[in-house]
Amino acid sequence: MKSNDLIAKVIVDVPTLGELDYKVPEDMLVALGDRVLVTLGRRRVVGIVVNLVRGSEIAENRLRSVTAVLNDIPPLPGEWLRLTRFAAGYYQRSWGEAALSALPLFLKRAPGKRQAAVMERMRKPLESGGRPVEVPELNDEQKTVLDALNRAEHFETFLLFGVTGSGKTEVYLRWMEETLRRKEDGQILFLVPEINLTPQSVSRIRSRFPEKTVAVLHSELSDGERARNWLAVHEGRADILVGTRTAVFASFKHLALVIVDEEHDGSYKAGDGLRFSARDLAVWRGKANDVPVLLGSATPSLESWMKASAGQYRLLTMAHRASGRAVLPEVTLTDPPEKGSRRSLTDFTVSAMTKVLEAGRQVLVFINRRGYAQVLSCPSCNWVSSCRHCSTFTVFHKSDRSLVCHHCGWRSKVPEACPVCGNVDILPRGSGTERIFEELEIRFPGKRVLRIDRDSVSRKHEAEEAFAKVHAGEVDILVGTQMIAKGHDFRNVGLVVILNADAQLLSPATRAREMLFATLMQVAGRAGRHGEAGRVVIQTRFATDPFFEALAKQDYRLFADALLDVRRENFLVPFTHQALLTAQAPTLAQSLRFLEDAAEAGHALEGDAVRIYDPVPMNIVRLKELERAQLLVECDDRPALNRFLRAWQSTFRVPAGVQWTLEVDPAEV
Ligand code: ADP
Ligand code: ZN
Ligand code: ZN
């Protein structure tokens, strides 16, 4: 029998559950977006009220009541509820999972006895202020861009395509300033890639807005700090939120503007759980709040570039460097040393370095591999060091004489002799940051060389200290991985040397080229940012590849347009939409079997719209003792793909030992 009780539809953090019905007791006041305490089986959990209706399909005697309303914070706003529902639908997870995983820990727990004291701590004012900074006069390009931005009053997505050092950040700051001036209670969402790599962004914003409250959200905050910052945004006490990808799920009282810096950056895509793209959700939020969105990059993602080319996004361009006489560096391509040579730097590279160092400027050496050497190998029997748990090589780290798997972290001691033939002359092959560091110290005696990678600076403050040394001029040569590429506004780097880019160029992954192009443009962009011209030397065997031709000209447009043509002709992303089903199991056969069954079930479901490919073993088949395979599906029509994925998942029969994940818009295929 259908009752006429007031029913709260509640979502909880369980992947398989949808909206659950709970009766609202007569004397209880519940609002949409309230957190509530409910019983689930025998557990007591925190859920969120997403709807209030009269009557339930559930029999009266089986219907439970809401235990308590947790009104310690204002209810989650409607736009936030729609956001999490959209994300759940798009990325194929449950609404409850998407919503609850976006909340700080303390809001997901049943309140304890000392809740009032906890809440008081949570509402302590955030750090603010900063050293006042000089504000540069805008140049003409910046002015034109800012004018266009200031005219936008409603939703519109802008793609700010500005070369490295063109002063994009300055434009962001001006636009934020103007927006906060116009909308007194407005709030700004400013997304940045991994925050420990861009320590300057937060302090730069605090200094520019000493009167405003700036909240931060990123993975290195403690639970308490995260809660405090989250709450300040939710309650409208923070004017600006600077954060990494998870910040896109913050709850705002009055969102007025959205900015995504370095919008192409891979870190905007979540790698586990709800595999969302923060950039795409940021655009969604702009639309939902009818406010403008700005995506900025020197090397936009192909998705955004395509949309800008199609007129869906408005393209704004800054083609010149902002600071004084700073021009883009000159790029030279040169052959790497002969194979089998023990050196990584050619004479040409060394002499280019010497010249710059003699002029009192710094050199930055980029190599995208940490450790000493790619592998240890035995020249007499061809043994190579490999991981016990994965189908990968182990990297030789000389400092602690260990062999490390960069995929699972497995570590072993360097053997005294070849474990297969007993040869004692086992040799390192290929180079990483440690080995380059060693070579630099030998080649440039008396010069101060510093290495920055995840091994040398594993903590945030260590990285900051290391970069501070570079900025203070206490370093002549800086060698490092990706970590040295991002965002740093080095003042005195005269030369950037790029080593070993060829390995990634040869990768079969669809997006390898665009990712490499973005990285190398960014690294190259560290040279000559202020005044004196800079130079870039790239050691490559593929100087005539169009990739390096475009890179040498630092012409992203040339690169992207050519790549888009190829993608369009071949119906590849971003001209189609993809989802990737991945399976892992103790044996590859089990993984493949599961995917084959899934493919078959998919064929039975599909209209013509969805293309289902054959299951294939993954590039690295074995990872942490599990063997993996993947199955790609494509569809030119987004809603059709979405419907298919929903229906498809419910057909999966999952044998014991098999785990699967489904990723929409996969980053790496
Ligand atoms: P981007 O974010 O495009 O890489 P930044 O905003 O970091 O560039 O600017 C690069 C450098 O140029 C910074 O040191 C910045 O202070 C400086 N700069 C920005 N705009 C101007 C300007 N209009 N005049 C002089 N210097 C500027
Ligand atoms: Zn051997
Ligand atoms: Zn491993």
Side-chain angles (χ1 to χ4, degrees):
M1 195 199 71
K2 204 171 155 161
S3 79
N4 198 33
D5 293 320
L6 182 62
I7 302 296
K9 299 271 183 190
V10 175
I11 53 172
V12 295
D13 193 3
V14 177
T16 49
L17 292 180
E19 297 165 37
L20 306 173
D21 288 8
Y22 288 89
K23 197 160 105 178
V24 180
E26 293 277 335
D27 56 350
M28 188 182 272
L29 272 179
V30 181
L32 269 187
D34 267 337
R35 280 148 53 253
V36 287
L37 208 55
V38 293
T39 43
L40 186 70
R42 297 203 177 160
R43 282 190 303 146
R44 228 182 224 183
V45 299
V46 171
I48 300 168
V49 178
V50 295
N51 206 353
L52 288 162
V53 296
R54 284 280 162 195
S56 169
E57 298 299 324
I58 299 189
E60 181 90 61
N61 59 350
R62 292 188 46 220
L63 193 62
R64 302 202 214 184
S65 293
V66 173
T67 310
V69 182
L70 307 173
N71 47 14
D72 45 4
I73 65 163
L76 292 151
E79 183 256 344
W80 187 87
L81 294 175
R82 289 198 304 281
L83 167 73
T84 51
R85 186 178 57 191
F86 168 79
Y90 189 98
Y91 297 108
Q92 305 288 325
R93 308 293 281 228
S94 80
W95 188 1
E97 212 184 351
L100 274 300
S101 65
L103 291 183
L105 205 56
F106 93 109
L107 293 175
K108 292 190 273 191
R109 288 204 191 114
K113 283 196 203 88
R114 297 177 37 240
Q115 183 71 359
V118 172
M119 292 309 297
E120 194 174 322
R121 262 210 319 276
M122 292 297 165
R123 292 200 170 93
K124 279 223 215 85
L126 300 174
E127 187 188 328
S128 65
R131 256 181 284 147
V133 282
E134 227 178 285
V135 178
E137 184 92 8
L138 292 189
N139 61 37
D140 288 347
E141 272 188 330
Q142 286 171 316
K143 274 189 202 144
T144 308
V145 167
L146 187 63
D147 280 349
L149 294 172
N150 278 334
R151 276 199 299 274
E153 292 189 2
H154 297 281
F155 169 63
E156 178 165 11
T157 307
F158 295 92
L159 178 61
L160 175 54
F161 168 47
V163 297
T164 51
S166 57
K168 295 186 287 297
T169 314
E170 190 54 43
V171 170
Y172 304 153
L173 294 169
R174 298 285 180 119
W175 192 32
M176 289 162 72
E177 203 174 339
E178 177 62 20
T179 303
L180 292 178
R181 201 179 57 73
R182 286 190 207 171
K183 300 185 184 172
E184 213 165 299
D185 61 343
Q187 294 173 292
I188 292 169
L189 170 60
F190 189 101
L191 291 179
V192 295
E194 299 147 71
I195 218 150
N196 53 345
L197 301 183
T198 51
Q200 294 152 311
S201 48
V202 179
S203 56
R204 194 162 165 189
I205 290 172
R206 285 217 170 101
S207 309
R208 274 298 273 276
F209 299 98
E211 314 280 290
K212 300 288 179 188
T213 303
V214 180
V216 293
L217 282 175
H218 58 81
S219 60
E220 289 195 21
L221 296 179
S222 66
D223 289 335
E225 284 295 296
R226 181 168 306 124
R228 229 154 59 85
N229 283 277
W230 188 94
L231 199 57
V233 179
H234 176 66
E235 294 183 337
R237 287 177 285 115
D239 306 290
I240 300 168
L241 169 61
V242 184
T244 52
R245 64 170 179 255
T246 48
V248 80
F249 280 110
S251 152
F252 289 85
K253 198 163 175 200
H254 181 188
L255 186 61
L257 195 67
V258 181
I259 297 173
V260 184
D261 191 19
E262 309 288 359
E263 66 92 29
H264 64 278
D265 196 281
S267 72
Y268 285 126
K269 178 89 195 187
D272 53 15
L274 185 88
R275 297 180 176 222
F276 63 95
S277 153
R279 183 227 306 146
D280 295 350
L281 291 179
V283 173
W284 188 96
R285 293 201 85 168
K287 189 165 184 201
N289 289 279
D290 195 25
V291 299
V293 178
L294 177 60
L295 311 178
S297 177
T299 51
S301 63
L302 277 188
E303 280 77 4
S304 298
W305 188 251
M306 176 188 74
K307 286 177 181 157
S309 307
Q312 200 177 332
Y313 292 174
R314 179 123 69 102
L315 185 65
L316 303 172
T317 306
M318 300 202 303
H320 303 97
R321 284 195 155 174
S323 175
R325 293 161 293 133
V327 289
L328 282 174
E330 173 203 334
V331 179
T332 314
L333 303 171
T334 169
D335 281 331
E338 299 280 303
K339 272 226 163 84
S341 151
R342 294 210 164 197
R343 309 164 32 181
S344 303
L345 305 168
T346 61
D347 290 338
F348 178 84
T349 304
V350 169
S351 78
M353 289 177 69
T354 307
K355 225 187 267 167
V356 166
L357 291 168
E358 277 171 1
R361 303 181 71 196
Q362 295 165 307
V363 177
L364 201 147
V365 180
F366 171 80
I367 174 158
N368 211 359
R369 185 187 295 122
R370 62 200 169 86
Y372 189 84
Q374 191 177 10
V375 286
L376 275 188
S377 77
C378 168
S380 73
C381 78
N382 289 330
W383 167 83
V384 287
S385 59
S386 38
C387 180
R388 181 179 289 171
H389 310 286
C390 311
S391 47
T392 54
F393 298 132
T394 46
V395 175
F396 173 42
H397 288 246
K398 194 174 182 184
S399 51
D400 57 358
R401 299 204 60 76
S402 64
L403 293 166
V404 183
C405 173
H406 283 188
H407 297 272
C408 75
W410 183 71
R411 208 171 255 280
S412 64
K413 280 269 142 226
V414 168
E416 302 281 335
C418 171
V420 175
C421 74
N423 175 12
V424 290
D425 274 331
I426 45 179
L427 299 171
R429 259 189 12 212
S431 33
T433 46
E434 279 185 35
R435 191 175 198 173
I436 304 295
F437 177 85
E438 204 175 273
E439 188 171 332
L440 289 168
E441 292 220 298
I442 294 166
R443 286 296 194 93
F444 300 95
K447 294 294 172 198
R448 298 158 300 177
V449 187
L450 179 72
R451 183 183 118 217
I452 297 189
D453 58 32
R454 265 202 289 136
D455 300 315
S456 70
V457 290
S458 53
R459 289 161 203 285
K460 183 173 178 232
H461 73 93
E462 288 174 341
E464 274 170 22
E465 281 162 26
F467 283 115
K469 271 192 190 167
V470 182
H471 289 295
E474 291 161 24
V475 172
D476 301 309
I477 306 173
L478 174 65
V479 52
T481 55
Q482 295 260 16
M483 283 184 81
I484 63 174
K486 299 202 179 179
H488 289 280
D489 190 22
F490 298 119
R491 302 199 75 82
N492 194 29
V493 170
L495 170 66
V496 168
V497 176
I498 295 173
L499 302 176
N500 200 32
D502 290 354
Q504 199 179 337
L505 189 73
L506 299 177
S507 159
T510 318
R511 290 167 191 275
R513 284 193 161 222
E514 58 200 83
M515 279 152 58
L516 182 64
F517 196 85
T519 304
L520 297 189
M521 283 279 279
Q522 198 156 30
V523 184
R526 300 310 106 197
R529 292 174 69 83
H530 296 270
E532 305 285 309
R535 192 167 178 205
V536 179
V537 170
I538 304 176
Q539 292 190 179
T540 173
R541 273 175 230 294
F542 304 102
T544 55
D545 188 301
F547 177 94
F548 281 114
E549 282 180 20
L551 188 69
K553 291 187 192 145
Q554 292 176 77
D555 192 341
Y556 169 80
R557 203 182 272 272
L558 180 69
F559 167 77
D561 287 342
L563 196 56
L564 274 185
D565 282 344
V566 174
R567 298 280 177 86
R568 190 184 294 111
E569 277 160 29
N570 295 288
F571 306 105
L572 295 169
V573 281
F575 295 94
T576 186
H577 308 293
Q578 295 182 323
L580 187 68
L581 178 63
T582 306
Q584 51 176 28
T587 67
L588 179 61
Q590 286 169 293
S591 291
L592 285 171
R593 183 63 204 272
F594 167 75
L595 294 179
E596 279 154 13
D597 289 348
E600 208 175 290
H603 286 301
L605 279 179
E606 121 199 65
D608 299 335
V610 180
R611 296 184 291 280
I612 301 173
Y613 289 80
D614 288 334
V616 289
M618 284 180 65
N619 245 345
I620 295 172
V621 173
R622 220 165 115 80
L623 188 79
K624 303 184 191 177
E625 305 284 351
L626 292 173
E627 302 199 334
R628 314 175 307 157
Q630 64 185 33
L631 167 63
L632 183 67
V633 299
E634 275 180 357
C635 182
D636 301 338
D637 179 48
R638 170 72 69 188
L641 177 62
N642 196 292
R643 280 194 303 275
F644 168 78
L645 294 176
R646 234 344 116 191
W648 191 34
Q649 282 181 77
S650 61
T651 68
F652 292 172
R653 276 171 297 123
V654 189
V658 176
Q659 295 165 337
W660 60 271
T661 49
L662 183 61
E663 186 175 3
V664 180
D665 304 336
E668 280 168 61
V669 176

